[in-house]
Amino acid sequence: MLRMIAALFLLVTPLGAEEIVLGLSRDEVAITANFNGSEVMIFGAIKRDAPAPEGGPLEVIITLAGPLEPVLVRRKERILGIWVNTDAVEVDAAPSFYAVATSSPMRDVLTSVEDLRYGISIPRVIRSVGAPDTVQNSETFTEALIRIRAGSQLYQILDSEVDIEEETLFRGQITLPAALTEGEYTAHIYITRDGVVIDDYVTGIAVYKAGLERWLYEMSRNQPFLYGLMSLAIAISAGWLASAAFRIFLR
């Protein structure tokens, strides 16, 4: 009986299996009034019960994703010299931030079949079920969303930015821009050989507003009337100060 259990265990957990042991430089990011971005170091090691298997080299993929949100993407066209919105497609779910870092170029790290299975690359992580029948070339709306957010550093492709030592230790660094959405960010690490995922690990990073940012955010949600009065008072005060400074300058 014990021999049968041991044999079943070996079938489920093969010798030489490789597993991820992970660490983070930080597990939370506070957005304050003077927040201008941050950096997250993701590092870890590969745990083995036997020598590394033969075959292709070990590769590492690290992704960091912000909260998913629906996005309305509009197409503008110039009509009679004026740019107007013509078509619109709602992307069902797109991460507010997404970075994918690899130890080698993506084409060498992951096959297209595995990318389809796990949803790792930027186009695969965006869910767009369909578009109205009146909209032509609907896939260009997703491409435009990726292009715009990449220009703002909200979507990042970091090829060959993950360092691996002795096929055991790895580390990668992802820079978070200033324009972050509050919420739970998901760090996902994959290890691959010959383009096939052999293990993955998931952990979270909390991104939240703090200090003055948190106070203003809570007031705008819980006490909108007072928030409006305060905003109006600040606007009036700023206008009066600007007018007074202008009069002094003209003297």
Side-chain angles (χ1 to χ4, degrees), residues 39-99:
E39 293 182 345
V40 176
M41 178 74 73
I42 300 174
F43 54 91
I46 309 302
K47 178 184 176 182
R48 299 185 180 91
D49 297 326
E54 297 181 358
L58 179 82
E59 303 287 359
V60 177
I61 304 172
I62 299 173
T63 67
L64 183 61
L68 293 174
E69 58 187 10
V71 181
L72 184 64
V73 183
R74 301 182 184 275
R75 174 187 288 159
K76 288 187 176 183
E77 293 184 5
R78 195 167 186 174
I79 300 177
L80 299 177
I82 302 175
W83 288 98
V84 296
N85 294 323
T86 54
D87 298 323
V89 170
E90 183 173 3
V91 176
D92 300 273
S96 58
F97 171 85
Y98 193 78

Side-chain angles (χ1 to χ4, degrees), residues 217-231:
Y217 177 82
E218 293 292 343
M219 176 177 283
S220 67
R221 295 297 185 275
N222 301 326
Q223 298 176 306
F225 180 72
L226 292 179
Y227 180 79
L229 289 179
M230 185 185 69
S231 300

Side-chain angles (χ1 to χ4, degrees), residues 103-121:
S103 53
S104 297
M106 179 65 84
R107 62 180 180 274
D108 300 329
V109 173
L110 191 71
T111 66
S112 58
V113 174
E114 290 291 274
D115 188 19
L116 180 62
R117 177 184 178 188
Y118 288 93
I120 296 175
S121 65

Side-chain angles (χ1 to χ4, degrees), residues 73-245:
V73 183
R74 301 182 184 275
R75 174 187 288 159
K76 288 187 176 183
E77 293 184 5
R78 195 167 186 174
I79 300 177
L80 299 177
I82 302 175
W83 288 98
V84 296
N85 294 323
T86 54
D87 298 323
V89 170
E90 183 173 3
V91 176
D92 300 273
S96 58
F97 171 85
Y98 193 78
V100 52
T102 59
S103 53
S104 297
M106 179 65 84
R107 62 180 180 274
D108 300 329
V109 173
L110 191 71
T111 66
S112 58
V113 174
E114 290 291 274
D115 188 19
L116 180 62
R117 177 184 178 188
Y118 288 93
I120 296 175
S121 65
I122 294 177
R124 294 297 184 190
V125 80
I126 297 174
R127 296 200 301 268
S128 183
V129 176
D133 296 334
T134 57
V135 176
Q136 298 180 349
N137 301 322
S138 59
E139 65 278 359
T140 60
F141 286 80
T142 300
E143 295 170 357
L145 174 64
I146 294 173
R147 183 175 64 254
I148 292 170
R149 291 195 168 181
S152 303
Q153 296 299 306
L154 291 174
Y155 287 173
Q156 303 175 18
I157 300 176
L158 307 172
D159 271 353
S160 304
E161 293 293 325
V162 178
D163 297 326
I164 303 178
E165 297 181 9
E166 303 295 332
E167 291 202 350
T168 301
L169 303 176
F170 66 88
R171 70 176 183 274
Q173 181 171 290
I174 294 176
T175 301
L176 301 175
L180 281 183
T181 299
E182 186 180 30
E184 185 73 15
Y185 283 57
T186 303
H188 207 143
I189 296 83
Y190 307 84
I191 54 176
T192 70
R193 285 190 185 275
D194 297 319
V196 177
V197 175
I198 57 179
D199 192 32
D200 66 306
Y201 188 99
V202 182
T203 187
I205 299 175
V207 176
Y208 60 92
K209 293 181 173 67
L212 180 60
E213 288 286 321
R214 166 57 63 181
W215 183 73
L216 291 174
Y217 177 82
E218 293 292 343
M219 176 177 283
S220 67
R221 295 297 185 275
N222 301 326
Q223 298 176 306
F225 180 72
L226 292 179
Y227 180 79
L229 289 179
M230 185 185 69
S231 300
L232 181 61
I234 292 175
I236 294 174
S237 299
W240 181 82
L241 289 174
S243 176

